[in-house]
Every structure is written in C-alpha cells, then in structure tokens.
Amino acid sequence: MRAPLLVLALGATSVAAAACTENLDGGAGCPSLCPEESERFRDTTFEASEIDSSLAGYPTLGLSNNLLLANRPDTLVTRAILRFDVLTTSFLPNGTGTLDSITTVDSVFLKLPLDSTGRRGGNPVTLEAYDVDTTASDTVPAVLRSLFRPDRRIGTLTLTPSSTGDTIRVPLSRTFMQARIAAKSRVRVGLRLTGSSGQLRLRAFTLGFGAPTLQFDPASDTTYRPITLTTQTTLSGAENEVNLAYSLYALTDIGSPPPGPNTLVVGGYPAYRTYMRFNVPRRISDSSTIVRADLLLTQQRSRFGNVRDSVAVFPLVPTATADVSDLRRILDLTAEGTLLGVDTTRFVPGDSGVRSLNVLGLARSWRLQAPTVPRGLALRIALEGAQPAELRFFSRTAAPALRPKLRITYLPKSEFVLP
C-alpha cells in the first residue's frame, strides 16, 4: 500500500506547485499565495476639461522683465511711460566738499538697455520722446495719449532696430531738463516708434541692474561725473507694488483680438493665460500607475504677431484649493510645471490641427496632491508681454471633435487573490 500512497502524495504536490507558478510575474500577491491574472495596460481618451478659460492682462503691470515698444500698424502698436519723480537738484563740484545747486545741465540722455534677440525689423524707425507730465489723471491711457503731440516732444533718435546693440541713448532737451530741476519738479517721459514698422524690447528691471535710467551732467564742464536717475513714482494713497507698477509701463494702442467664442488663447499682447480644470476618475488619478498622459488641443491658425516663429509654451500647475474661485487668484497661486517634470512645448502660431502636450509629470503628481486641490493646468507663453506671438485653441464649448481631451495610458491597481 505504500507505493500508491506515495504516488498520490507526489501527484498532489505537483498539482499545488503547478497552480501557484502560473503568472507569477503578473500579480501583486506574495509568492506564498496565488496571484490573480495580470492586469493589462489600458488606454483611454476622454473630454476631461470641466472648466476652461483665458484671462488677459499678463504679465501683471510692473512685474515684467521686459517692455515691448512696437510700431506694427497691422498688428501691434504700443507706447512706453517712464517716470522719474525724484530729481537731483544739487551736486558736489570736483575737488570740493560743498554742495552746489544745479543751474545748468549738459548731455541729457535716456539710457535704454535692450534685449537684442528676436524679431525687431530691418527698416529705420524714429524713437520719439515726449513730456507726458500733467495734473490730470495720468494713469488713464486716453489722457496720456493726448500728450504725445509736437509741442511736447523733447527728443528724437532715428535707428534701425535690427542693427542696435544692447543699449541705446536717446538725447533729451537740455532746456526742458534745466527747467524741471529749477522748479524742483519731476520728469515723466513717453516713448513711441514712428516711421517704418519695427519694435524694441526694453529691459525693465525697475529694482535691479539693467533698468532704464535718465542721465545728465550737472554742469557744462564734462569733467563732472554724470548724475543717474532711476525710474520711481509715488501715487497718492497707493501701495508700494502699485507705485512700482507705474514707474515704467506700456500702453497698448493696437493689440491682439479677444479670444471670441469657443476659443482659448495663450500669449498675444497684452498676453493671455489659459486655465483648464480636469475631471479625471479617482480610480485613474489616485489608484493606478499612469505611464503616459497627453493633453490634446486642436489649434486654430493665428494671424496676429509673428505667425511663423516657433514659440515655447510653459505649463503652470494650480495649487489653490477648491475654495478659491477667482480665476486670477488661482493663476497667481500656480507653480512652474517644469518643476514637476511637465514638458515645455513649442508651437508655430500659424499652424492648425491637433497638438499634443506631454503632461505625464502632472498626471503622476495628482495622487500626491490634497483632495481639495482641483486637478488642473494653466499655460503661459515664453517672453510673456515682450513679444506678440499668440496661440489659439478650441475650447470645451466647441464641436465635440475639436474639444480638449486627455489621452492616458495606465495600469489599474492589482488586488490580492487567495488560492
């Protein structure tokens, strides 16, 4: 009887071993248990956007590193305002320790640092400077535009934008400057380009190296060291950030058109940002392994700005909770998406069709975010506020085939199965 029992025992052992060695690399079970059959990667493409909107007015006044001065009548026309509200009225003559009042000046210039990259124009243009100081409400664009007239012109410079270096010096009227110093007044200058089409990108570091300055000699003797003034202003009852904003800023005469129906805009001038909030099932965002995620946008052909120039789009990740409903506040609280591994993507404004943005880093971050933080994404353009390129996409209210979509490849969560 021993032989049959031994055979039976060996047979039972073999069956058990065979049962627990199937698909061992496909489940989540401990080797001591029999795992379930392998889960397979799943692909899904769906209309995930539950809110999308474009908001204008970027960058915030006074917070741009650059300021675009443009004369492109078919596309973009801007002006610049520079305020020097504190003038130096005395100086130390060479070799003395006694302050003297400034009664005459020489070599009065606006020194304008430039970003010399990008499209600027190859035809000569004239840069005109105007006295735009007034007792009227000079934060109102219409009031300021009315001051750009011949009797208030205080300087001109003809140049070819594509041939300029990294700095230009605009000569200003000595008589004008002497009168302002004698009156212990202020200097507020308006700039515009006239003549041929062209543009200049001014550096606008109002609190750091490279900002526009007003320079002059405090006497006709050129051995004296020039006096340099930086932009600053004080508005009645205004906070510091408002005063900073109005020290150096741009006016837009002709800018990009509004988005219109069924359209999202990124860039333009003044620039737009686009915000999108996604409705992604928690079983995908929180309980699966996402291996691919793309935001699919259908691009519209833009006719504004540099339509054939490739332009970078930067992702922004909202961090505000659902309690924050103000869109501008939500965008102010975004973080740079590149820190989460979300790719920067380049587009050509004049193109059209379906475009893909890799948002895998964003999708993988969703499980790490608090449940009260909506799953969203915002987009801004490179050199925001310093170039006129814009990108246009169809929104969630467009025809179904044109709406934004998410394409996700994921591995569902595996479960243990007892044998």
Side-chain angles (χ1 to χ4, degrees), residues 179-251:
R180 289 306 169 99
I181 292 176
K184 296 183 179 180
S185 183
R186 63 194 183 189
V187 171
R188 294 182 173 180
V189 181
L191 298 176
R192 73 175 180 185
L193 292 178
T194 61
S196 299
S197 178
Q199 66 185 42
L200 296 170
R201 188 178 297 146
L202 310 184
R203 298 285 190 187
F205 295 102
T206 53
L207 290 180
F209 177 78
T213 55
L214 176 60
Q215 296 184 347
F216 63 93
D217 291 335
S220 58
D221 184 347
T222 57
T223 61
Y224 292 112
R225 177 176 296 180
I227 291 175
T228 300
L229 305 177
T230 58
T231 56
Q232 57 180 306
T233 192
T234 302
L235 300 174
S236 178
E239 298 181 354
N240 289 338
E241 58 266 26
V242 176
N243 288 324
L244 175 62
Y246 281 99
S247 295
L248 171 61
Y249 64 102
L251 298 179

Side-chain angles (χ1 to χ4, degrees), residues 136 161 336:
E336 288 292 337

